[in-house]
Amino acid sequence: MESSLKEFTQLIGIDDFSESSKRLQEFLEEVSMPRTSSIERMKILPVVKQFSEWFPVESKGYPRCQEIVQTKPDASVFEGIKSAVVTAKTPLRKRGSEQEEQEDLVEMLPLNFKGTESVEICWPAYSRIRDAFYESIDSQFDMAISIGDTLCNLVGSINFPIGISPWFVAGFLKNKGIEMANCLTENLAVPAESDFVLGGYIDRNEFKKSGAMYPVMHITGISSKKDVAVPKSFDKTKPDSDAELKEMEINKNRCIEQIILSILRITVYPEIEDIAFADGGLCKDVVIVKLSGANYQGKALRIAHALWGSSMFKLNKVFVIVREYPETFGKKLNIRNSEEVRKQILENYIPRANTYFTRGLIDERDTSAPQKGFGGKMCIDAMGAVSALPFDNAEADLSKISCKSNLISFISSGENIPKSSAIVIVVDDKDKDASLMHATAKADAIANTSYVGDGLTASLVIKA
C-alpha cells in the first residue's frame, strides 16, 4: 500500500505527500501564532514571501486543456461520470466604497449528463455554488466542469472552510502555484492540466419555469488535451469494481485524510492526533478519530460535535473516537490497522453506555434518512470509562466486565442476535456487501438502530 500511495502522489506531481502535509501543518501553526514584538513580526516575512508562491498562476502559452476544441460539443461520452469539480463565481458585490469583487467557488458536485449538450447539476442545499446562483440576478449563470486532473479531483473533493481556496492548497502541496487557464466560452479559470473542460450556463428563466429540483447546465464548449480518454469513475456500491480504480480511490482518500488533519488541528482542536476513513479508506461515512490528552466525561461527544459542525465533516454519519493510553509505553495506536482498532474498541466500548445519537446534515442522495439531506448521526466513544455509567448497575467498574469477543457481526434478517458481538448489522444477505460502508449507506443512525440485551451486556443492532 505504501508503494502504491507513493506512485499516486507522484502522479499528482508531489514527491512525498507526508512531507507536504507536515509542511502544511507547520505553515498553519506559524501564521496563526500570536506576535506581540517587532522581532516576532519580522519572523513571518519569509513565510509571507513563500505564501505568495502558492497562489494559482495564469498559464503561459497555450494551455494543455485546450489542445483540442470541439466545434460541435458532444457530452454524451461523459454519461458514466457521476461527479466532477465544478467552478463558478459569486455575484458582484461591493464592500463599502471599494470596487466590486467576485470570489471563485470550487466544489465537487454530483452530475447527470443528459444527451449531447446538457448536464443536470445535482447540487445539495448547502452548496455555495447553489447559493451564488440564487443570489445572482443575471439571466445566465456561468459554470465550468473540470474532468480528469488527479490533483484537481483531490482538492475538489474536500469541503474546505470558507476562505481556503482548493487551488491554493493544491499549489501548497506542489510547492508552486498551479497553472490556470480561462475557459473558452465562459469567464472562469480552470486548471490547465484538466483532461477535459466543459463550459456552459444555467438559464435562470428556464429553470424557474421547469419546476425541476435541479437545474440543467447548457454546454457551450468542450476542450481537452490530446490523446486522452474519458476517465472511469469508481463505483463503491459495486463489490466487483475495478481493482485499480479502487486502489486509486483509497490512495486519494489517504491524502485527503492528511490534508483535513492538518487543518483540523488548527481550526478545531489540537488534541486530534489522527483521522482515518473506515473500510480500508473507502468509507467516509464512518471516520475513526484518535485523540491525545486526558479523558473526561463527554470529551468524545464534544469532539464529534465540533467535527460535525466543521465544513469538512458536515455529512459524516458515524465517528469512532479512540485515544492513546499511557500504559502502551510509547507504542502508537495505528488506526489504519483494523485489528488494533478492533481490540481498542472491544476493550473500551459498551454500546448502551458509550453510544451517542444526534441529527444533522447528510448527503441528499442518502435514501436511508427520514428527511432528505437530514438524518441521524452516531458517536461511538471507545476512549474508556471515566465515571459512572448512565444507568444503574452493580458492576459499575468496567474492569470487572467481560468484553465482547467480537466487534461486528453481519447476520441475515430472521437470524438470532449473537450475544458475543458488540455491534450487529442485519443485512439482506450476510455473504454480500458485509461492510460498514454498506451498513451506513442503507441505515439511518437513529431510525434503524436499537439495543438487544440488558445493561452492559446489550448489543447495538443496525438494520441495513
Side-chain angles (χ1 to χ4, degrees):
M1 179 60 73
E2 288 299 325
S3 60
S4 63
L5 179 58
K6 186 174 181 179
E7 290 173 3
F8 176 82
T9 55
Q10 290 175 347
L11 179 66
I12 59 179
I14 300 170
D15 294 329
D16 187 346
F17 195 88
S18 60
E19 186 64 32
S20 296
S21 60
K22 180 182 178 182
R23 195 160 44 84
L24 178 59
Q25 171 72 19
E26 291 173 349
F27 169 74
L28 291 172
E29 289 176 352
E30 187 72 26
V31 296
S32 61
M33 185 184 300
R35 301 174 188 277
T36 55
S37 67
S38 300
I39 296 176
E40 289 174 342
R41 295 190 189 104
M42 291 290 288
K43 289 180 181 178
I44 201 173
L45 292 178
V47 179
V48 173
K49 181 180 181 299
Q50 196 171 13
F51 180 87
S52 64
E53 297 174 356
W54 301 322
F55 282 103
V57 296
E58 187 176 348
S59 179
K60 297 178 181 178
Y62 210 68
R64 291 193 64 202
C65 63
Q66 295 174 6
E67 290 175 339
I68 296 178
V69 179
Q70 294 186 14
T71 54
K72 187 177 180 181
D74 182 5
S76 59
V77 295
F78 302 113
E79 288 182 357
I81 294 178
K82 301 304 179 185
S83 63
V85 175
V86 179
T87 302
K89 283 189 175 182
T90 56
L92 290 169
R93 298 189 182 112
K94 273 194 173 182
R95 296 181 178 178
S97 60
E98 295 180 8
Q99 293 183 349
E100 294 178 334
E101 295 181 355
Q102 283 184 294
E103 178 188 352
D104 289 333
L105 301 175
V106 181
E107 292 180 6
M108 178 74 77
L109 293 179
L111 305 175
N112 182 18
F113 283 90
K114 295 184 172 184
T116 59
E117 297 182 358
S118 61
V119 54
E120 187 179 38
I121 309 295
C122 306
W123 53 31
Y126 45 79
S127 166
R128 293 189 66 206
I129 292 180
R130 177 181 180 272
D131 287 347
F133 170 77
Y134 283 109
E135 189 178 341
S136 172
I137 59 173
D138 296 330
S139 60
Q140 293 186 358
F141 184 75
D142 293 342
M143 304 176 76
I145 299 173
S146 305
I147 298 174
D149 180 45
T150 310
L151 182 58
C152 169
N153 290 335
L154 174 66
V155 296
S157 300
I158 304 174
N159 295 312
F160 288 105
I162 294 175
I164 297 181
S165 166
W167 306 143
F168 173 79
V169 175
F172 183 93
L173 295 174
K174 294 188 72 171
N175 207 18
K176 66 176 182 179
I178 64 168
E179 291 190 4
M180 305 293 287
N182 286 326
C183 188
L184 287 173
T185 54
E186 273 68 39
N187 184 26
L188 293 167
V190 294
E193 286 298 316
S194 301
D195 288 349
F196 296 88
V197 176
L198 288 68
Y201 67 91
I202 297 172
D203 188 314
R204 180 179 303 280
N205 295 326
E206 177 190 80
F207 177 48
K208 188 176 181 180
K209 290 177 182 178
S210 69
M213 181 176 297
Y214 300 119
V216 170
M217 180 182 113
H218 297 282
I219 298 170
T220 55
I222 299 177
S223 65
S224 67
K225 296 178 182 176
K226 288 181 180 177
D227 303 322
V228 290
V230 177
K232 296 179 181 178
S233 294
F234 173 70
D235 188 352
K236 67 180 182 180
T237 64
K238 296 180 179 179
D240 57 346
S241 291
D242 188 298
E244 187 176 341
L245 289 177
K246 181 177 181 179
E247 186 174 31
M248 180 172 284
E249 185 74 8
I250 290 173
N251 289 329
K252 184 184 84 170
N253 287 340
R254 290 301 185 217
C255 293
I256 289 174
E257 290 170 358
Q258 295 306 305
I259 295 172
I260 291 176
L261 179 63
S262 299
I263 297 173
L264 285 178
R265 283 176 173 168
I266 299 300
T267 59
V268 185
Y269 292 111
E271 60 257 55
I272 298 175
E273 284 266 319
D274 202 0
I275 58 171
F277 302 140
D279 280 354
L282 285 176
C283 184
K284 295 182 181 180
D285 282 343
V286 181
V287 178
I288 303 159
V289 182
K290 182 173 74 170
L291 302 181
S292 62
N295 190 16
Y296 51 83
Q297 188 70 24
K299 180 175 181 177
L301 188 59
R302 162 180 166 259
I303 296 294
H305 277 300
L307 295 176
W308 282 322
S310 69
S311 60
M312 293 172 286
F313 282 115
K314 59 177 176 280
L315 302 183
N316 168 268
K317 295 176 76 172
V318 181
F319 279 124
V320 180
I321 313 291
V322 297
R323 74 179 178 107
E324 299 280 9
Y325 279 82
E327 53 268 30
T328 58
F329 298 103
K331 182 183 177 182
K332 292 290 184 179
L333 170 66
N334 181 8
I335 58 176
R336 290 170 185 81
N337 183 312
S338 58
E339 187 56 35
E340 288 189 33
V341 173
R342 173 187 170 278
K343 182 180 178 182
Q344 178 85 353
I345 299 174
L346 278 175
E347 290 178 352
N348 299 290
Y349 172 60
I350 298 174
R352 274 195 187 274
N354 307 123
T355 312
Y356 305 98
F357 299 94
T358 188
R359 288 182 171 85
L361 292 175
I362 62 169
D363 195 318
E364 290 189 351
R365 294 168 291 177
D366 191 327
T367 57
S368 68
Q371 296 174 258
K372 182 179 179 180
F374 190 80
K377 295 175 180 282
M378 182 193 305
C379 171
I380 292 176
D381 181 357
M383 295 181 67
V386 291
S387 64
L389 297 173
F391 51 85
D392 294 331
N393 193 292
E395 294 180 309
D397 183 1
L398 300 191
S399 63
K400 298 179 181 178
I401 301 166
S402 59
C403 296
K404 301 278 187 179
S405 60
N406 191 26
L407 178 59
I408 299 176
S409 290
F410 292 86
I411 66 170
S412 296
S413 300
E415 289 187 30
N416 293 326
I417 305 296
K419 295 181 179 180
S420 59
S421 298
I423 301 172
V424 179
I425 300 176
V426 183
V427 294
D428 294 333
D429 182 351
K430 66 179 179 180
D431 296 323
K432 181 181 179 183
D433 297 330
S435 66
L436 288 172
M437 186 160 56
H438 171 78
T440 54
K442 295 192 174 183
D444 181 78
I446 294 178
N448 301 119
T449 58
S450 60
Y451 295 108
V452 172
D454 299 322
L456 303 174
T457 61
S459 296
L460 178 69
V461 179
I462 303 173
K463 292 185 178 180

